[in-house]
Amino acid sequence: MNSNKMPSQRQMRFAEVVRSILSDIFLKEDIFFNQPNIETITVSFVRMSKDLKIASVYIMPLGGKDKNEILNILNENKYLFQKHISKAKLKSKFTPKIKFYIDDMFEEAERVENLLLNKKVIRDLNDEWFSRLDKFI
């Protein structure tokens, strides 16, 4: 059936709608006109709770600058975003509560890439590859 780890189709559709609304807010609205670098935010993805009451929004500022400062500003003003989402006429009983997080997926990918480029790891991978090849010959 449905695993507890995998989001349902409903959760994914709703998350994409919320992501689209938030992206439009960052592009078009002047909510934070006095804050620097707020308009250069990418909404990577949104993860919804099973009951669609909580939206975990993963963001990344352009260039990764001032991540923590921007994250604090967004979380302090999350009610402004919830207000915009409630006006969007979602087909849901509730407007989801929003919590912003930094998307560290790119940093993690870079860390893994650096590990894989390590000379010791390359040597071990090559040895393992040759030992597997010997089994087939």
Side-chain angles (χ1 to χ4, degrees), residues 44-45 58 60 102-111:
S44 302
F45 63 97
Y58 292 85
M60 178 53 77
I102 294 294
D103 180 14
D104 59 354
M105 191 170 21
F106 294 112
E107 292 170 359
E108 186 66 20
E110 185 178 349
R111 187 184 71 78

Side-chain angles (χ1 to χ4, degrees), residues 91-105:
K91 293 178 177 140
S92 175
K93 288 182 182 179
F94 306 100
T95 299
K97 303 286 185 214
I98 295 176
K99 177 75 173 155
F100 289 97
Y101 298 96
I102 294 294
D103 180 14
D104 59 354
M105 191 170 21

Side-chain angles (χ1 to χ4, degrees), residues 54-92:
I54 300 171
S56 300
V57 180
Y58 292 85
I59 55 116
M60 178 53 77
L62 186 65
K65 296 178 184 176
D66 305 322
K67 291 186 289 191
N68 293 327
E69 179 184 339
I70 290 173
L71 183 65
N72 289 335
I73 292 168
L74 293 178
N75 278 319
E76 288 171 2
N77 297 291
K78 62 187 171 187
Y79 302 107
L80 295 172
F81 295 100
Q82 288 172 199
K83 182 179 174 182
H84 279 274
I85 290 173
S86 70
K87 290 180 181 180
K89 307 270 192 253
L90 298 176
K91 293 178 177 140
S92 175

Side-chain angles (χ1 to χ4, degrees), residues 3 9 14 19 21 27 31 35 43 51 53-54 56 60 64 72 78 82 93 98-99 107 116-117 122 126 131:
S3 173
Q9 287 293 323
F14 205 78
R19 189 196 66 76
I21 292 168
L27 284 175
I31 294 176
Q35 298 291 335
V43 181
D51 59 3
K53 290 184 180 181
I54 300 171
S56 300
M60 178 53 77
N72 289 335
K78 62 187 171 187
Q82 288 172 199
K93 288 182 182 179
I98 295 176
K99 177 75 173 155
E107 292 170 359
L116 291 174
L117 293 175
I122 290 173
N126 285 338
S131 67

